[in-house]
Structures are given as structure tokens and as C-alpha cells.
Amino acid sequence: MLETSSCALPPWSQKTGPSRHEDRSGACRGTQGLFDAAVPSDIPAQPQGGWRSPQLQLHRRLHGTSRYVCCSLKFEHMLTSSTGICNLHGYGALKVGWNEYISKLYRQPDSEYKMKRMLYRGGTSGNPYIKEQYMEISTMLKPRKAAIAIMELREHIASEWQKDLQLVARENAEHWRHHLAKVQHNGTDPELHKQHRLLITTDDDSALRIDNYDLLIKFCTHIACEQVMEELATSPKDEHAAIWLKEYMQTRGARSFGAVQTRRVGWNFLNDILNEPPRVISGTGRDADTLCLIDPLDMGARIMAQRQNVAECWLEILHEIKDDNLSIHRKFMEDCMKTVLTDFWKNN
């Protein structure tokens, strides 16, 4: 049988997704851990919800977005040893779970942060007669204030994603229109320049709204591919198709789901697989002497249908973000009360 795909997915991420023929409740159970994959190989296992947690992926997008909101996040590297977050356009950013990250940040005391910066020295480089002068900059870091700002931003981006996920059906329809136009007009789409962008931004949107949407579509497509591949692998007659899809995902290089700087990965993947020609390959195992038909167009249709199902399930999960934030506040207050009561009974 086919092994679980290792296409840019860490070993701790393996989790069987729901079949697209299951009911909504089954699909939602299968996507309970969605939103956290394709991380570099040096990222350790995620402790909360795994790579498929929508809350974890939402929190990761806050790293890029929050730099436009809260400058005090310069101490994030002291909490998680995370570096290079501002240049990340992928899934693997945090080395801890989202709940642990915010809870730890919430409990950090205020501290003074000092750094030295060299002043402009003038003259020629390396002149020994001009002494280097430094200016010390001091600022007060308030982790709790930053944690509250992050939680507010989580709710804001979650509300945006609830709107964005409703565009997946229109994305699918545009894929079919574009593909059929290319088939009918010898590889060109004469109506392409007339198509409007599905995502319409406003002044009330969060920073990096377009990048957030692009990453959301990319990951939604990635999860759909994994679930379709798992579904194909469970059927002996479709196992060869699952193997082909696994290899296809692994050999895309910079256009793969594991790329952390490439944009429009979700769109390009579906566009490419719809344009793949049918082919005949040799079977595997006991069916090595038989020939098997690979139909990439059918796989593209399966993937688009499955990502629509995934998007609907994520819509329900994103409604829980506000409750998640309240639970963090509640847990902090409970811990404070326990500490106060413990000190009281010790002194009386």
C-alpha cells in the first residue's frame, strides 16, 4: 500500500483526512487539526493540535501582520527563538503551540530593552583618527499589552478568513472557466483580462490581507491534495493514482507547497494539474504487469471538490477564536486567584 505522503510534511503531521463523501460532521472531525504544515525539516514537533490546527495557522499569520500593529514584538525571539518571521510566507513559523505562546507572553513581566546603535562617523572607511560613537536606545517592553493586541488581531483576521473561505467556490469556478477557455482557444484565455480579482480589499482590512488570503488558499489546496491522496490510497484500484499524485507534489520544487516565499502556489498547482495530459503507467506490486490510466483532470476535480468541503469546515472552526481568547484570559485570572489565596493561607 501507499505510504503516507511526505511531501514537505513533517512526520508528526500525519493524520488521515475525511473522505469527500462523508457527512459534514465527519469532515469537521477530520479537519480538527488543519492549518499547520509544510514546515522546514528543522522545525520540531508542534505540541498543540498538530500541523492542521486553524488556530495555530492563524497565530502564525499574526507574526507577519502584527509587525504593522505592535512594534514591541521585537522580543518574540527571546520567547521562541524564532527568527526571520518578517520574510516568511509559509506555514512553519512557531516552535510552540499557539496557546502556549500567547499564555507565556501574557505572563511575562514588563522589562526594559536596551540596544546600542552606531552613529554616522563620517570620513573614509577605516580611518583610525575618527572614533566610533554609539547611542544607547532604551524602551519598555510590555508583553501583556502585546498579547492582548495579538488576541484582538486574531479575532480580526479570523473574521476576514471567514469571508475569504467563502470565495473558494468562486475560485473553483474560475479555474474551470480558465481551463475550458484554454481548451477551446488553443491554449489561450481571451477573457482573462476581463476577470476581476475575487478578493476586494478595504481600508478596514488588516495589513498583509492579500498575502494572508494567498496563504489561506495555498493551505486549503494543500490539505485537499493530502486528503484526496489518502482517499485514493485506500482503494487498490486507485493506488497508482495516489502514487502519481504524491510524486507530482514532491517534484514541483519552488512551486511546491513547502516553498516559503512563493506566491499563488494554490492557483498554480490546480492550473498545472488541470493542464497535465492523461498518461498510462505500469502498475505496482502484484499488478506490475498491468497498465494503469492516470487522469490528472479527474484529480483536479477531486481536489477542488475536497477543498470546498475543507473550507466549509474551517468556517465553523474559526467561530471558536473568540472563545479561545476568552479561555486564555480566564485561565490567567484563575491562576492569579490561586496565587493570591495560596499566599493568604500561608500568612494566616
Side-chain angles (χ1 to χ4, degrees), residues 214-225:
D214 177 75
L215 197 62
L216 180 66
I217 294 299
K218 170 184 173 180
F219 201 80
C220 188
T221 307
H222 189 182
I223 295 301
C225 290

Side-chain angles (χ1 to χ4, degrees), residues 188-205:
T188 61
D189 182 3
E191 301 291 326
L192 183 61
H193 67 283
K194 298 181 181 179
Q195 305 305 312
H196 297 286
R197 189 172 64 187
L198 295 180
L199 179 64
I200 306 299
T201 58
T202 66
D203 293 339
D204 296 330
D205 292 339

Side-chain angles (χ1 to χ4, degrees), residues 45-72:
Q46 301 294 339
Q48 284 183 314
W51 69 288
R52 296 178 175 180
S53 167
Q55 294 94 332
L56 183 56
Q57 173 64 4
L58 175 64
H59 187 66
R60 284 172 168 170
R61 289 311 296 159
L62 287 167
H63 273 290
T65 307
S66 59
R67 288 183 178 275
Y68 291 82
V69 179
C70 183
C71 294
S72 60

